[in-house]
Amino acid sequence: MKHKVMFGPAGSPVNYKGAAYKAPKYIKEEGLDSYEYQSPYGVRIGEKSAKILKEESEKHDILISMHGPYYINLCSKEEEKIKKSLNHLIATARAGEWMGAYRLVFHPGFYSNRKPGKAMEISKNTINQLFEELEAEGIEEFTFAPETTGKRSQQGNVSEIIELCASFDHFEPTVDFAHVHARGRGFLNKKEDYNCIFSQLEDNLDIDILHCHFTTIEYGNGGEVKHHTLAESNEYGPDIKDLLANLIDNGWRANIICETPLRDEDALKMKELYESMI
């Protein structure tokens, strides 16, 4: 039986040389549990390859999620960018359905000098359009997972992600703890600092499994600057041990996707630490 907390890389393992859609066997042999397929610059995987990824993930018991394009902006001031964002989300949902992705991760957008409340209103209108278009396309198997964002100019603090997920079916949060840390200019320094995140999640959403991202991160006044390895934790936060202690103490089921430059190698370090703590 799997542990309550699973671990996997954001993208193909560092030393893996094969096709991304055939990575689950390699990931399983490393001792990991999950895999976030990356489509940051547009959805380029075809139906045949996506279905092979699904077969491989089922064969090797690897939980698949998918990260959609970076170009998505639900609250853009430009109608053309809204339209393009919808197309990116539809392409993500279609490919996600083929590959059996349990979460479709995306960054919601940018405030663009508007008040957060107005940006949220526009985002919700865009999501309503999205559902209409998905229904017209016949796409039914999807769970979008808007992600907490790392820059203060972006829509996507914890409260905003919770509001989006509480407002729509087929929406579950992605909590990127490094982004929360960077956006708060070093907010997560000890175990107790996570309490307000988990209490908000518990009070507002019914989450079966929490989809997470984690990396050590460098930040500035505007938020996120650069991802770093776990080995650099003494210089940059947050500390993975504090997150794991919270998940263990509160009995959370979670899937932690590692986004350090050493994504699979550091995911294994996370898993080894977790197993030493339970």
Side-chain angles (χ1 to χ4, degrees):
M1 190 177 92
K2 283 191 175 182
H3 293 308
K4 280 195 166 186
V5 180
M6 293 178 281
F7 300 85
S12 297
V14 174
N15 294 313
Y16 173 70
K17 304 301 182 188
Y21 59 86
K22 292 186 178 178
K25 182 176 186 288
Y26 186 100
I27 291 168
K28 184 67 173 182
E29 288 172 349
E30 284 189 298
L32 293 169
D33 317 291
S34 58
Y35 174 38
E36 188 152 291
Y37 181 88
Q38 304 287 294
S39 293
Y41 305 113
V43 178
R44 296 170 182 167
I45 190 168
E47 182 175 2
K48 182 179 178 181
S49 296
K51 287 184 173 177
I52 290 171
L53 174 55
K54 182 179 182 180
E55 290 170 7
E56 290 292 303
S57 67
E58 289 174 349
K59 185 191 302 182
H60 299 289
D61 195 23
I62 295 294
L63 183 63
I64 297 293
S65 54
M66 178 181 179
H67 200 304
Y70 292 154
Y71 310 122
I72 292 162
N73 188 350
L74 298 181
C75 48
S76 175
K77 288 184 174 181
E78 300 173 42
E79 191 59 38
E80 185 61 27
K81 287 186 178 178
I82 293 278
K83 185 176 179 181
K84 287 181 178 178
S85 296
L86 287 168
N87 289 338
H88 283 309
L89 287 167
I90 290 164
T92 301
R94 185 182 294 112
E97 189 171 66
W98 291 334
M99 70 177 67
Y102 93 113
R103 295 284 188 276
L104 306 171
V105 180
F106 71 96
H107 303 157
F110 288 84
Y111 298 129
S112 304
N113 297 318
R114 277 184 303 226
K115 291 184 177 179
K118 181 62 177 177
M120 178 62 70
E121 180 187 332
I122 296 167
S123 290
K124 288 180 178 179
N125 288 337
T126 304
I127 293 167
N128 283 323
Q129 284 182 251
L130 172 64
F131 282 129
E132 289 175 9
E133 295 192 24
L134 287 169
E135 185 176 0
E137 293 274 343
I139 300 170
E140 299 176 343
E141 299 296 323
F142 61 89
T143 299
F144 285 106
E147 176 183 345
T148 54
T149 48
K151 290 185 168 63
R152 298 171 77 89
S153 59
Q154 292 174 290
Q155 183 182 56
N157 62 33
V158 173
S159 296
E160 288 168 335
I161 294 303
I162 286 173
E163 182 173 347
L164 285 173
C165 293
S167 300
F168 296 97
D169 292 336
H170 301 281
F171 264 61
E172 296 282 348
T174 297
V175 180
D176 187 316
F177 289 96
H179 283 170
V180 175
H181 182 71
R183 190 181 182 113
R185 300 178 182 140
F187 170 63
L188 301 173
N189 295 305
K190 57 186 184 297
K191 178 186 170 187
E192 292 73 26
D193 293 337
Y194 289 77
N195 291 344
C196 67
I197 301 172
F198 284 105
S199 62
Q200 282 188 77
L201 292 169
E202 287 178 338
D203 290 347
N204 294 282
L205 300 173
D206 183 15
I207 298 171
D208 179 49
I209 178 168
L210 181 64
H211 192 72
C212 313
H213 287 174
F214 193 93
T215 182
T216 307
I217 198 164
E218 182 180 348
Y219 61 87
N221 285 337
E224 174 185 12
V225 173
K226 184 180 178 182
H227 291 196
H228 289 270
T229 67
L230 286 191
E232 297 170 279
S233 293
N234 288 338
E235 186 172 356
Y236 304 100
D239 190 331
I240 184 63
K241 191 170 185 178
D242 294 330
L243 170 59
L244 296 177
N246 273 281
L247 293 170
I248 292 166
D249 288 355
N250 294 292
W252 279 82
R253 291 181 69 225
N255 179 25
I256 300 178
I257 297 297
C258 178
E259 290 196 318
T260 76
L262 299 175
R263 44 200 176 269
D264 58 313
E265 295 172 16
D266 278 345
L268 278 168
K269 289 181 181 178
M270 292 180 191
K271 184 172 183 178
E272 288 164 3
L273 177 60
Y274 168 73
E275 289 178 341
S276 74
M277 294 170 67
I278 57 176

PDB file of all heavy atoms in Angstrom, residues 197-217:
ATOM      1  N   ILE A 197      -2.263  28.160   6.179  1.00  0.00           N
ATOM      2  CA  ILE A 197      -2.565  27.585   4.855  1.00  0.00           C
ATOM      3  C   ILE A 197      -3.486  26.389   5.021  1.00  0.00           C
ATOM      4  O   ILE A 197      -4.549  26.299   4.380  1.00  0.00           O
ATOM      5  CB  ILE A 197      -1.271  27.162   4.135  1.00  0.00           C
ATOM      6  CG1 ILE A 197      -0.342  28.350   3.943  1.00  0.00           C
ATOM      7  CG2 ILE A 197      -1.608  26.517   2.783  1.00  0.00           C
ATOM      8  CD1 ILE A 197       1.033  27.973   3.406  1.00  0.00           C
ATOM      9  N   PHE A 198      -3.098  25.466   5.889  1.00  0.00           N
ATOM     10  CA  PHE A 198      -3.885  24.246   6.053  1.00  0.00           C
ATOM     11  C   PHE A 198      -5.251  24.529   6.661  1.00  0.00           C
ATOM     12  O   PHE A 198      -6.242  23.890   6.297  1.00  0.00           O
ATOM     13  CB  PHE A 198      -3.110  23.220   6.888  1.00  0.00           C
ATOM     14  CG  PHE A 198      -2.009  22.546   6.126  1.00  0.00           C
ATOM     15  CD1 PHE A 198      -0.688  22.874   6.342  1.00  0.00           C
ATOM     16  CD2 PHE A 198      -2.297  21.602   5.160  1.00  0.00           C
ATOM     17  CE1 PHE A 198       0.331  22.262   5.629  1.00  0.00           C
ATOM     18  CE2 PHE A 198      -1.298  20.978   4.439  1.00  0.00           C
ATOM     19  CZ  PHE A 198       0.027  21.315   4.676  1.00  0.00           C
ATOM     20  N   SER A 199      -5.333  25.496   7.564  1.00  0.00           N
ATOM     21  CA  SER A 199      -6.637  25.808   8.156  1.00  0.00           C
ATOM     22  C   SER A 199      -7.574  26.407   7.111  1.00  0.00           C
ATOM     23  O   SER A 199      -8.769  26.097   7.086  1.00  0.00           O
ATOM     24  CB  SER A 199      -6.480  26.754   9.354  1.00  0.00           C
ATOM     25  OG  SER A 199      -5.917  27.987   8.959  1.00  0.00           O
ATOM     26  N   GLN A 200      -7.056  27.259   6.228  1.00  0.00           N
ATOM     27  CA  GLN A 200      -7.893  27.810   5.148  1.00  0.00           C
ATOM     28  C   GLN A 200      -8.386  26.710   4.217  1.00  0.00           C
ATOM     29  O   GLN A 200      -9.549  26.709   3.804  1.00  0.00           O
ATOM     30  CB  GLN A 200      -7.094  28.832   4.325  1.00  0.00           C
ATOM     31  CG  GLN A 200      -6.938  30.190   4.966  1.00  0.00           C
ATOM     32  CD  GLN A 200      -6.312  31.175   3.996  1.00  0.00           C
ATOM     33  OE1 GLN A 200      -6.971  31.673   3.090  1.00  0.00           O
ATOM     34  NE2 GLN A 200      -5.035  31.455   4.175  1.00  0.00           N
ATOM     35  N   LEU A 201      -7.507  25.792   3.886  1.00  0.00           N
ATOM     36  CA  LEU A 201      -7.895  24.680   3.014  1.00  0.00           C
ATOM     37  C   LEU A 201      -8.985  23.832   3.680  1.00  0.00           C
ATOM     38  O   LEU A 201      -9.994  23.490   3.055  1.00  0.00           O
ATOM     39  CB  LEU A 201      -6.677  23.816   2.690  1.00  0.00           C
ATOM     40  CG  LEU A 201      -5.600  24.457   1.811  1.00  0.00           C
ATOM     41  CD1 LEU A 201      -4.337  23.588   1.802  1.00  0.00           C
ATOM     42  CD2 LEU A 201      -6.100  24.657   0.389  1.00  0.00           C
ATOM     43  N   GLU A 202      -8.776  23.517   4.953  1.00  0.00           N
ATOM     44  CA  GLU A 202      -9.741  22.672   5.669  1.00  0.00           C
ATOM     45  C   GLU A 202     -11.092  23.357   5.840  1.00  0.00           C
ATOM     46  O   GLU A 202     -12.138  22.724   5.754  1.00  0.00           O
ATOM     47  CB  GLU A 202      -9.181  22.291   7.043  1.00  0.00           C
ATOM     48  CG  GLU A 202      -8.062  21.267   6.976  1.00  0.00           C
ATOM     49  CD  GLU A 202      -7.495  20.942   8.349  1.00  0.00           C
ATOM     50  OE1 GLU A 202      -7.656  21.779   9.275  1.00  0.00           O
ATOM     51  OE2 GLU A 202      -6.885  19.871   8.504  1.00  0.00           O
ATOM     52  N   ASP A 203     -11.075  24.662   6.061  1.00  0.00           N
ATOM     53  CA  ASP A 203     -12.313  25.398   6.324  1.00  0.00           C
ATOM     54  C   ASP A 203     -13.155  25.624   5.065  1.00  0.00           C
ATOM     55  O   ASP A 203     -14.371  25.824   5.159  1.00  0.00           O
ATOM     56  CB  ASP A 203     -11.995  26.764   6.954  1.00  0.00           C
ATOM     57  CG  ASP A 203     -11.477  26.650   8.381  1.00  0.00           C
ATOM     58  OD1 ASP A 203     -11.602  25.555   8.968  1.00  0.00           O
ATOM     59  OD2 ASP A 203     -10.944  27.653   8.891  1.00  0.00           O
ATOM     60  N   ASN A 204     -12.507  25.597   3.904  1.00  0.00           N
ATOM     61  CA  ASN A 204     -13.214  26.005   2.687  1.00  0.00           C
ATOM     62  C   ASN A 204     -13.359  24.950   1.609  1.00  0.00           C
ATOM     63  O   ASN A 204     -14.210  25.089   0.723  1.00  0.00           O
ATOM     64  CB  ASN A 204     -12.507  27.226   2.088  1.00  0.00           C
ATOM     65  CG  ASN A 204     -12.598  28.439   2.976  1.00  0.00           C
ATOM     66  OD1 ASN A 204     -13.628  29.102   3.015  1.00  0.00           O
ATOM     67  ND2 ASN A 204     -11.529  28.748   3.699  1.00  0.00           N
ATOM     68  N   LEU A 205     -12.548  23.900   1.663  1.00  0.00           N
ATOM     69  CA  LEU A 205     -12.566  22.902   0.593  1.00  0.00           C
ATOM     70  C   LEU A 205     -12.578  21.499   1.183  1.00  0.00           C
ATOM     71  O   LEU A 205     -12.073  21.257   2.268  1.00  0.00           O
ATOM     72  CB  LEU A 205     -11.331  23.059  -0.313  1.00  0.00           C
ATOM     73  CG  LEU A 205     -11.164  24.399  -1.038  1.00  0.00           C
ATOM     74  CD1 LEU A 205      -9.805  24.430  -1.738  1.00  0.00           C
ATOM     75  CD2 LEU A 205     -12.293  24.647  -2.025  1.00  0.00           C
ATOM     76  N   ASP A 206     -13.163  20.577   0.426  1.00  0.00           N
ATOM     77  CA  ASP A 206     -13.164  19.159   0.796  1.00  0.00           C
ATOM     78  C   ASP A 206     -12.154  18.458  -0.099  1.00  0.00           C
ATOM     79  O   ASP A 206     -12.463  18.087  -1.232  1.00  0.00           O
ATOM     80  CB  ASP A 206     -14.566  18.572   0.619  1.00  0.00           C
ATOM     81  CG  ASP A 206     -14.645  17.121   1.061  1.00  0.00           C
ATOM     82  OD1 ASP A 206     -13.711  16.666   1.765  1.00  0.00           O
ATOM     83  OD2 ASP A 206     -15.619  16.437   0.694  1.00  0.00           O
ATOM     84  N   ILE A 207     -10.923  18.307   0.392  1.00  0.00           N
ATOM     85  CA  ILE A 207      -9.819  17.816  -0.436  1.00  0.00           C
ATOM     86  C   ILE A 207      -9.508  16.369  -0.090  1.00  0.00           C
ATOM     87  O   ILE A 207      -9.201  16.048   1.054  1.00  0.00           O
ATOM     88  CB  ILE A 207      -8.566  18.696  -0.228  1.00  0.00           C
ATOM     89  CG1 ILE A 207      -8.851  20.142  -0.671  1.00  0.00           C
ATOM     90  CG2 ILE A 207      -7.369  18.133  -1.006  1.00  0.00           C
ATOM     91  CD1 ILE A 207      -7.761  21.123  -0.295  1.00  0.00           C
ATOM     92  N   ASP A 208      -9.551  15.518  -1.105  1.00  0.00           N
ATOM     93  CA  ASP A 208      -9.214  14.108  -0.912  1.00  0.00           C
ATOM     94  C   ASP A 208      -7.704  13.917  -0.907  1.00  0.00           C
ATOM     95  O   ASP A 208      -7.149  13.225  -0.056  1.00  0.00           O
ATOM     96  CB  ASP A 208      -9.858  13.257  -2.004  1.00  0.00           C
ATOM     97  CG  ASP A 208      -9.507  11.784  -1.849  1.00  0.00           C
ATOM     98  OD1 ASP A 208      -9.645  11.253  -0.726  1.00  0.00           O
ATOM     99  OD2 ASP A 208      -9.088  11.155  -2.841  1.00  0.00           O
ATOM    100  N   ILE A 209      -7.046  14.530  -1.881  1.00  0.00           N
ATOM    101  CA  ILE A 209      -5.586  14.478  -1.950  1.00  0.00           C
ATOM    102  C   ILE A 209      -5.090  15.863  -2.360  1.00  0.00           C
ATOM    103  O   ILE A 209      -5.545  16.430  -3.349  1.00  0.00           O
ATOM    104  CB  ILE A 209      -5.083  13.373  -2.905  1.00  0.00           C
ATOM    105  CG1 ILE A 209      -3.552  13.395  -2.995  1.00  0.00           C
ATOM    106  CG2 ILE A 209      -5.717  13.474  -4.276  1.00  0.00           C
ATOM    107  CD1 ILE A 209      -2.970  12.175  -3.688  1.00  0.00           C
ATOM    108  N   LEU A 210      -4.165  16.417  -1.582  1.00  0.00           N
ATOM    109  CA  LEU A 210      -3.659  17.761  -1.837  1.00  0.00           C
ATOM    110  C   LEU A 210      -2.519  17.688  -2.851  1.00  0.00           C
ATOM    111  O   LEU A 210      -1.499  17.044  -2.612  1.00  0.00           O
ATOM    112  CB  LEU A 210      -3.159  18.398  -0.540  1.00  0.00           C
ATOM    113  CG  LEU A 210      -2.620  19.827  -0.665  1.00  0.00           C
ATOM    114  CD1 LEU A 210      -3.731  20.790  -1.100  1.00  0.00           C
ATOM    115  CD2 LEU A 210      -2.005  20.285   0.658  1.00  0.00           C
ATOM    116  N   HIS A 211      -2.717  18.356  -3.979  1.00  0.00           N
ATOM    117  CA  HIS A 211      -1.662  18.411  -4.995  1.00  0.00           C
ATOM    118  C   HIS A 211      -0.732  19.562  -4.635  1.00  0.00           C
ATOM    119  O   HIS A 211      -1.170  20.706  -4.484  1.00  0.00           O
ATOM    120  CB  HIS A 211      -2.271  18.611  -6.387  1.00  0.00           C
ATOM    121  CG  HIS A 211      -1.285  18.389  -7.488  1.00  0.00           C
ATOM    122  ND1 HIS A 211      -0.828  17.138  -7.827  1.00  0.00           N
ATOM    123  CD2 HIS A 211      -0.650  19.252  -8.322  1.00  0.00           C
ATOM    124  CE1 HIS A 211       0.030  17.237  -8.824  1.00  0.00           C
ATOM    125  NE2 HIS A 211       0.164  18.510  -9.139  1.00  0.00           N
ATOM    126  N   CYS A 212       0.565  19.260  -4.511  1.00  0.00           N
ATOM    127  CA  CYS A 212       1.544  20.241  -4.042  1.00  0.00           C
ATOM    128  C   CYS A 212       2.725  20.351  -4.997  1.00  0.00           C
ATOM    129  O   CYS A 212       3.094  19.380  -5.657  1.00  0.00           O
ATOM    130  CB  CYS A 212       2.137  19.838  -2.688  1.00  0.00           C
ATOM    131  SG  CYS A 212       0.994  19.316  -1.430  1.00  0.00           S
ATOM    132  N   HIS A 213       3.334  21.524  -5.006  1.00  0.00           N
ATOM    133  CA  HIS A 213       4.650  21.722  -5.601  1.00  0.00           C
ATOM    134  C   HIS A 213       5.592  22.168  -4.493  1.00  0.00           C
ATOM    135  O   HIS A 213       5.185  22.878  -3.562  1.00  0.00           O
ATOM    136  CB  HIS A 213       4.619  22.804  -6.672  1.00  0.00           C
ATOM    137  CG  HIS A 213       3.948  22.401  -7.943  1.00  0.00           C
ATOM    138  ND1 HIS A 213       3.723  23.281  -8.979  1.00  0.00           N
ATOM    139  CD2 HIS A 213       3.459  21.211  -8.360  1.00  0.00           C
ATOM    140  CE1 HIS A 213       3.125  22.654  -9.980  1.00  0.00           C
ATOM    141  NE2 HIS A 213       2.941  21.399  -9.616  1.00  0.00           N
ATOM    142  N   PHE A 214       6.863  21.763  -4.619  1.00  0.00           N
ATOM    143  CA  PHE A 214       7.839  22.203  -3.622  1.00  0.00           C
ATOM    144  C   PHE A 214       9.209  22.351  -4.259  1.00  0.00           C
ATOM    145  O   PHE A 214       9.631  21.531  -5.075  1.00  0.00           O
ATOM    146  CB  PHE A 214       7.939  21.212  -2.451  1.00  0.00           C
ATOM    147  CG  PHE A 214       8.683  21.783  -1.275  1.00  0.00           C
ATOM    148  CD1 PHE A 214       8.002  22.420  -0.251  1.00  0.00           C
ATOM    149  CD2 PHE A 214      10.071  21.713  -1.218  1.00  0.00           C
ATOM    150  CE1 PHE A 214       8.689  22.990   0.814  1.00  0.00           C
ATOM    151  CE2 PHE A 214      10.769  22.274  -0.156  1.00  0.00           C
ATOM    152  CZ  PHE A 214      10.076  22.908   0.870  1.00  0.00           C
ATOM    153  N   THR A 215       9.900  23.414  -3.874  1.00  0.00           N
ATOM    154  CA  THR A 215      11.300  23.617  -4.197  1.00  0.00           C
ATOM    155  C   THR A 215      11.868  24.597  -3.183  1.00  0.00           C
ATOM    156  O   THR A 215      11.124  25.332  -2.531  1.00  0.00           O
ATOM    157  CB  THR A 215      11.494  24.167  -5.623  1.00  0.00           C
ATOM    158  OG1 THR A 215      12.898  24.294  -5.897  1.00  0.00           O
ATOM    159  CG2 THR A 215      10.845  25.531  -5.803  1.00  0.00           C
ATOM    160  N   THR A 216      13.158  24.612  -3.031  1.00  0.00           N
ATOM    161  CA  THR A 216      13.833  25.689  -2.320  1.00  0.00           C
ATOM    162  C   THR A 216      13.873  26.877  -3.277  1.00  0.00           C
ATOM    163  O   THR A 216      14.117  26.695  -4.471  1.00  0.00           O
ATOM    164  CB  THR A 216      15.259  25.251  -1.930  1.00  0.00           C
ATOM    165  OG1 THR A 216      15.172  24.016  -1.217  1.00  0.00           O
ATOM    166  CG2 THR A 216      15.929  26.281  -1.055  1.00  0.00           C
ATOM    167  N   ILE A 217      13.639  28.096  -2.772  1.00  0.00           N
ATOM    168  CA  ILE A 217      13.430  29.214  -3.691  1.00  0.00           C
ATOM    169  C   ILE A 217      14.109  30.499  -3.218  1.00  0.00           C
ATOM    170  O   ILE A 217      14.182  30.776  -2.027  1.00  0.00           O
ATOM    171  CB  ILE A 217      11.910  29.443  -3.910  1.00  0.00           C
ATOM    172  CG1 ILE A 217      11.635  30.269  -5.164  1.00  0.00           C
ATOM    173  CG2 ILE A 217      11.269  30.079  -2.678  1.00  0.00           C
ATOM    174  CD1 ILE A 217      10.187  30.188  -5.629  1.00  0.00           C
TER     175      ILE A 217
END
